Structure formats: C-alpha cells, structure tokens
Amino acid sequence: MEYLSGVRAVISPAVGNHLWQSTLFAAVAAMLTLALRKNQARVRYRLWLAASVKFLIPFSLLISVGSHLARPRNSVSVENGLYSVAEELSQPFTRTAAPVVVPAVRAAGADLLSRLRGVPMVVWLCGFVAALGLWWWRWRRFSAAMRDAVPVSQGREVDALRRLEQIAGVRTPIRLLFSQDSVEPGIFGIVRPALVWPAGISQHLTDAHLEAIIAHEVWHVRRHDNLAAAAQMIVEAIFWFHPLVWWLGARLIEERERACDEEVLQLGKSPQVYAESILKTCEFCVGSPLVCISGVTGADLKSRIIRIMSEPVALKLDLGKKMLLLVAGAMAVAGPLTFGLMQEPQTHAAPPVAGTASKVPTFEVASIKPNKSDTGMSLLRNTPVGFSASNISLKAVIQYAYGVEENQILGAPGWLGSERFDMEAKVSSSDTDALHNLNPDQLRLMLQPLLADRLQLKVHTEARDLPVLVLVVTKGGPKLHEAKPGDTYPNGLKGFDGGGGPGMMLMRPGQLTAQGVDLPFVAKQLSQQLGRTVQDKTGLTGKYDFTMQWKPDRDPSPMPGAPQPGQQGPGATLSTDSSEASIFTALQEQLGLKLESRKAPVEVLVIDHVEAPSEN
C-alpha cells in the first residue's frame, strides 16, 4: 500500500498537469470552431477530433522530445526568469512534502490516510470498467446482427454502392450485408468496413432516396469516421470522470454527420430528397444508433433536417482562416518542443535558503589531482576556508554535492567511482566570514558549479522506483531526549572554532552522537551510513539529543560534510566501547525507532556528461 501511495504521488501531479493542459487545448479548439462556424463542418470536426486525441498525447511527450534535441553545453546552465515562470505555469501540480503529523494524532491520521489513499484509484477503475463494459455490450449486440447478415453481390443497392465508391475515391470495395434485424444502415468495421443494410428497407425507397443514404455511408468510410469514433471511445473510457470528454464526443457526432450531409448535398442530391431519405430510414428502423458504427440518423435529427432544408452551402476556408489554423497547429506542436529545448538537462543546484542567495560565495581557487598515496583512508570535509577531500572518488564528491546516495546516481562511468583523487577548494579571504554562516545545503551548493566547470558535469533528475528504508516509531514509542531550547552544550561536540551548539552530529564506526538535531537530518546521516535512502516517516517534529552505539559491520569513511555538522573538535570525547547490537537493533532498543524496508519512487541523479579532470 505504501508503494502504491508513492506511485500515486508521482502520477497524480502528472495527471493533473495533463488534464488542465488538455482542457485549455479544447477551449482553444472551441474558439477556433466558433470562428469557423460558417465554414465546412469537416474543418470543425477535425478541430474537435484534435482536442479529443490531445487527451491521449500529453504535452510532456513533446517537451521530452524537445529536451533531447537540445545541444549539450559545456558549462552550467542558469535558468532565466522567463523559463522559470513558464515552468511554473506549465506544471502547477507538483509533488509536495507529506504533511507533518504531530505524535498525538499520528497513528489515527496514518490509519485514516492508509484507508483513503486507494479510494480514487478504485473509483477510477470502476468507471473505466463500466465504460468499456457498456461499449462491449453494444458492440456484441451489433456483432450478433452481423453474424446473421447475408452478403449481397448484386442488385440496385450494390450498383449504387460501387458507383458512389468511385465518386468518393474509396479504393477498397465495401462489403454489403443484408440484415433481418431492425438496425439502421451503418458502416461496421475499420480495416474491412461493411455496410449493414436492413432487409426490406429498399422497398420503401426510391432510387434517389437509396443513393442518398448509401452516399452518406460511403463518405463515413472515406473519412475514416469509425477509427475516429474508436479513439473517442478510448478517451471517454480513460477520462470518464471529465465532463469535457463527453461534451467533445457530442460535438464530434454532430459535426461528423453534418460533414457527411454536406458531402452528399455537394454531389448534387436534392435537399428535399435527402431529408426524406433520412426520415424514411428512421421510420423503418427501430432503436438508437450504436457508438461503434457510423449510421445515417446520428446527431440531433430535427436540427439536421432543418439545416439540410434551409442552410446555404458551407463556405470553404479563405486564405486568412487557413493561416489561422496553420499558426494554431504550429503553436500546438512547436510550443512544447520549444519549452523542451529550454528545459535541456542541466546541472541542478539545491536552492539556497530564501534571502541568502547573494551571500553564497564561490571558490576562488581549486585543485583536483590523482591520489598517489594508496593509504585506503578517505576523507571528505568542509574546512574553515572551503572544502577538502583526500583519496576520494569523484562519484563520492558528486554524491555529497547533490545530497544523494550511491544508488541514486545513474549513468556514471566506471572511473568515476574507482579512481581516487585529492581535492582542495578555497574561497577568498574576504569570503571566509560568509562561509562560516552557511548551512550544509549552501555548502553543497558551492560545489556544484565547481564540478560543472572542472568535470564538465551535466546531470538531470528523474523519479525511479528504488528500495528505501523508512524510519518509523516503534509500538513502544520513542526513547529520545528532547533538546533544551537555548542549550549551548558546553561539554558537547565542538566545531573547528572550538564552539558548540545545537544542530551538530558526529558519526563514528559504531557510534552516532547528536545534539539538538531533528529526525530528517538523522535520516539523512543514516542514509550515508547504510548506503541506502532513508526516509523519515516518524512524524516527530522536535530536536533531540542522543548517543547510539552498535557493532559496526565495517569501518565507514568519515561522514561527508563534517564538521557541518559532525566535526569532532576540542573537548569532544567518545566512548570506545560499542554495543554488540546491529544498527537496526540499536535504533529500536536505544531510540525507540526502527527501519522498515520498502520500495518507493526516489529522485535519482542521471549523469548526462562527465570528463576526467585535467592535471592543472
């Protein structure tokens, strides 16, 4: 259930964006049809059909194509204001963090959410199955009539059919079947269409009436109306909950029949004779038209007869309206492609804290050199003047810079994780004070442009289903000691400057010491320790002091980013005795927390381009 909830969290925003974009597209199509109301119905029909098919083709597909057409760049791309606004307008539904539930109501709220999160999917599935079931039942009913129908190869109906096929330009001969059921004349099938003709109706029709009805059906075949009707059926089944798709279906039937009426009249048929043929057909046949066939009595019969008898011949498109449709079509396709070109995979930097963007300094000098020591000891840390790493893989540096775990980096070449380097980066002396005021996210932010410049690194993020560990509270409740507000921790962990305070953590092999930290930060450090994404689902919002000990399975490298927070400084002491318990058991017994293994959508970092650093 948790996995399905995670999948829904990824799908729901995409569906929301697709629905409003398709609705807007249909609104534009409606305005165009209004402007073309005096023109031929086939033009308006194509507009309505495009609006319907748009529900099956998300703009994100064209945006993705555009993004892959973009030329790769050798430096970090900075999003301009216009692009940022466009992105916000095109994707208003985004994944948001789950609301924090206070401990007192966490259990009840989680239970209620677990019961309700699957309801929308169940409701949609019921509607989808019901829509398909209804159409299947109608198709089966007409298919039964088809099985009893008798093929006809001669007669005045066949002669009229073959003559009208040549006039309309239909290359594949249409089969003619006589049915004993009271069905209206209609075209059944898409690949091998057949004209189902009720036996006995020809006795009530003159040759002129008969040719008018057959001409109407031949034009349904010429226009591939059954194929369009099938596409609309799929749209209505998938998006049955959206009233617009049903309204579009009604417009399609109306303009489809009107377009065929216009084609029949343009053949020189008398409006009076044609109207009489439709009325005689309705008189003879019993039952409403089926959605799976194109018949002669579809749409609003009364308005059709009035229109056939009274309206003049529809106007053809003039140059101005042709240009209007051309521009609209080009914008519908070129717009998403252009947006995709703007959305070229870029080096994504973690956003700085609001109001501090201008205070984040840049590295003045930096060096990346191959490591020759082969000591086996790796170190990665923030220094008082910048950043330092020794005997470290560049993949580990990227992992720290982007705040991801090793399994969240995809597309990395082998050397990125196997070759070892020494790395040193320093800010100017005037930026040292500003450096000390940065939080861990801002410190990581400084590394990203450096990696893009020295490694030609280009990345983008995607959502992938990965195994994760979820940090939750045990049944017995948490065993955490809540931090005291204003505590200066005189005997606690110290930083480079010898000062202590809240928000610091030290992770050693078999020991984790925290002072004044929240559980999301603990989950992040556990992710680094375990090499697997840990998500905080405890619902605990406070800051805590604790020391946890366990028997380490291996000697991990120092925590990336120490001492911000986590650097052992003067006055910090640690016990050398570690518990015999594993880290999983220690969490439960010492902190009242536990890690559960699940699978959920996780944002991964995909490396599009990277180069080995030069010697200088």
Side-chain angles (χ1 to χ4, degrees):
M1 181 63 73
E2 192 74 22
Y3 171 70
L4 291 178
S5 176
V7 173
R8 184 175 62 86
V10 174
I11 294 177
S12 296
V15 172
N17 288 320
H18 175 59
L19 285 178
W20 86 258
Q21 291 165 2
S22 298
T23 302
L24 178 61
F25 188 91
V28 173
M31 288 188 289
L32 289 173
T33 57
L34 184 63
L36 303 173
R37 61 188 180 276
K38 294 184 179 179
N39 294 97
Q40 293 173 317
R42 62 184 179 184
V43 178
R44 295 189 298 275
Y45 173 80
R46 290 169 184 169
L47 288 171
W48 290 128
L49 182 60
S52 177
V53 173
K54 168 62 189 72
F55 277 89
L56 300 178
I57 306 175
F59 276 142
S60 58
L61 182 62
L62 295 176
I63 292 174
S64 176
V65 172
S67 66
H68 284 84
L69 293 176
R71 293 182 179 179
R73 302 177 186 174
N74 293 326
S75 59
V76 179
S77 301
V78 180
E79 298 176 350
N80 57 41
L82 176 62
Y83 169 75
S84 299
V85 172
E87 184 176 36
E88 290 296 324
L89 290 176
S90 66
Q91 305 289 337
F93 300 100
T94 56
R95 284 177 290 166
T96 56
V100 177
V101 184
V102 296
V105 298
R106 183 180 61 85
D111 181 65
L112 178 61
L113 288 175
S114 65
R115 295 174 182 273
L116 295 179
R117 61 168 58 102
V119 171
M121 180 63 73
V122 173
V123 172
W124 172 84
L125 187 60
C126 290
F128 178 74
V129 172
L132 288 184
L134 177 61
W135 286 315
W136 179 83
W137 176 77
R138 290 176 173 175
W139 179 86
R140 290 281 296 175
R141 190 178 71 172
F142 196 83
S143 181
M146 284 281 294
R147 286 195 298 269
D148 297 332
V150 178
V152 178
S153 58
Q154 59 182 357
R156 63 179 184 137
E157 297 89 354
V158 176
D159 295 339
L161 178 59
R162 299 292 173 252
R163 183 168 58 255
L164 290 166
E165 284 176 351
Q166 293 180 355
I167 295 175
V170 177
R171 297 180 180 179
T172 304
I174 303 171
R175 295 176 297 155
L176 182 64
L177 305 175
F178 274 13
S179 174
Q180 299 299 325
D181 294 334
S182 297
V183 295
E184 69 168 82
I187 296 296
F188 184 84
I190 297 175
V191 179
R192 297 181 65 244
L195 172 57
V196 181
W197 191 264
I201 192 176
S202 300
Q203 300 174 7
H204 302 273
L205 302 174
T206 64
D207 289 344
H209 292 147
L210 185 142
E211 284 201 6
I213 296 174
I214 295 179
H216 183 99
E217 301 306 325
V218 168
W219 276 105
H220 277 309
V221 176
R222 177 67 177 83
R223 291 161 35 82
H224 306 287
D225 284 338
N226 278 2
L227 178 61
Q232 175 61 19
M233 286 168 56
I234 296 174
V235 173
E236 291 177 357
I238 298 175
F239 300 97
W240 59 266
F241 53 87
H242 199 329
L244 180 62
V245 301
W246 301 98
W247 184 77
L248 284 175
R251 302 286 74 73
L252 280 169
I253 293 176
E254 178 184 349
E255 297 296 352
R256 179 186 73 189
E257 299 306 320
R258 187 170 182 176
C260 288
D261 292 343
E262 290 176 357
E263 296 291 353
V264 173
L265 294 176
Q266 287 179 8
L267 292 176
K269 305 300 181 184
S270 167
Q272 182 176 350
V273 171
Y274 184 42
E276 287 176 355
S277 67
I278 295 176
L279 293 174
K280 286 179 178 291
T281 302
C282 293
E283 231 181 300
F284 181 84
C285 301
V286 178
S288 59
L290 301 179
V291 295
C292 51
I293 67 170
S294 298
V296 73
T297 63
D300 186 343
L301 184 59
K302 181 178 179 181
S303 62
R304 279 184 65 194
I305 297 300
I306 294 174
R307 186 172 59 248
I308 291 171
M309 295 299 297
S310 60
E311 288 190 5
V313 177
L315 300 175
K316 292 185 178 181
L317 293 176
D318 56 24
L319 180 60
K321 291 182 178 178
K322 287 181 180 179
M323 290 300 298
L324 175 64
L325 291 176
L326 181 62
V327 171
M331 290 179 62
V333 176
L337 287 175
T338 302
F339 184 76
L341 290 170
M342 296 170 62
Q343 202 180 22
E344 172 195 358
Q346 302 173 30
T347 300
H348 293 272
V353 177
T356 63
S358 61
K359 300 179 182 179
V360 178
T362 58
F363 292 115
E364 184 180 40
V365 293
S367 67
I368 304 177
K369 300 178 180 179
N371 179 271
K372 306 294 185 181
S373 63
D374 194 26
T375 61
M377 179 67 179
S378 299
L379 177 66
L380 185 154
R381 65 192 182 95
N382 294 308
T383 68
V385 294
F387 173 81
S388 176
S390 61
N391 193 33
I392 197 81
S393 70
L394 293 179
K395 186 176 182 180
V397 178
I398 295 173
Q399 177 183 336
Y400 167 61
Y402 286 88
V404 297
E405 303 310 316
E406 185 176 5
N407 66 334
Q408 292 176 259
I409 299 179
L410 305 180
W415 65 265
L416 201 64
S418 60
E419 297 183 14
R420 300 286 167 164
F421 294 85
D422 295 332
M423 187 172 176
E424 197 78 26
K426 298 179 181 180
V427 298
S428 63
S429 57
S430 60
D431 286 334
T432 304
D433 291 339
L435 182 70
H436 295 164
N437 295 327
L438 299 183
N439 61 37
D441 284 339
Q442 292 170 309
L443 291 168
R444 292 191 292 103
L445 176 64
M446 292 177 59
L447 274 175
Q448 295 180 14
L450 174 62
L451 294 173
D453 180 52
R454 296 300 302 273
L455 308 183
Q456 303 300 308
L457 179 65
K458 294 180 67 63
V459 301
H460 72 276
T461 57
E462 295 179 4
R464 299 281 182 92
D465 290 330
L466 297 178
V468 300
L469 294 172
V470 177
L471 185 66
V472 297
V473 178
T474 60
K475 293 182 179 179
K479 301 176 182 179
L480 298 166
H481 179 264
E482 194 153 359
K484 297 179 181 179
D487 194 342
T488 59
Y489 299 91
N491 300 317
L493 300 176
K494 306 297 181 183
F496 283 114
D497 57 1
M504 302 187 72
M505 179 181 289
L506 176 63
M507 181 172 284
R508 286 283 188 85
Q511 185 163 353
L512 175 62
T513 303
Q515 58 187 39
V517 299
D518 55 22
L519 289 182
F521 185 72
V522 174
K524 185 181 297 185
Q525 306 313 312
L526 289 174
S527 298
Q528 296 169 351
Q529 174 70 21
L530 300 172
R532 187 169 167 184
T533 302
V534 177
Q535 299 178 347
D536 172 40
K537 298 293 184 181
T538 61
L540 302 177
T541 59
K543 297 184 182 297
Y544 304 94
D545 301 332
F546 63 84
T547 297
M548 182 180 71
Q549 293 180 320
W550 67 93
K551 183 179 181 180
D553 295 328
R554 57 185 174 86
D555 293 333
S557 301
M559 180 183 67
Q564 294 287 339
Q567 174 67 27
Q568 184 186 18
T573 58
L574 287 171
S575 171
T576 57
D577 296 330
S578 61
S579 170
E580 291 299 315
S582 69
I583 189 172
F584 297 93
T585 304
L587 275 169
Q588 295 189 53
E589 295 179 350
Q590 300 174 34
L591 303 185
L593 307 175
K594 66 177 180 178
L595 291 170
E596 296 180 350
S597 182
R598 299 176 186 173
K599 198 172 184 182
V602 176
E603 194 171 70
V604 299
L605 194 73
V606 181
I607 296 179
D608 300 311
H609 181 78
V610 66
E611 299 177 6
S614 59
E615 288 292 335
N616 59 346

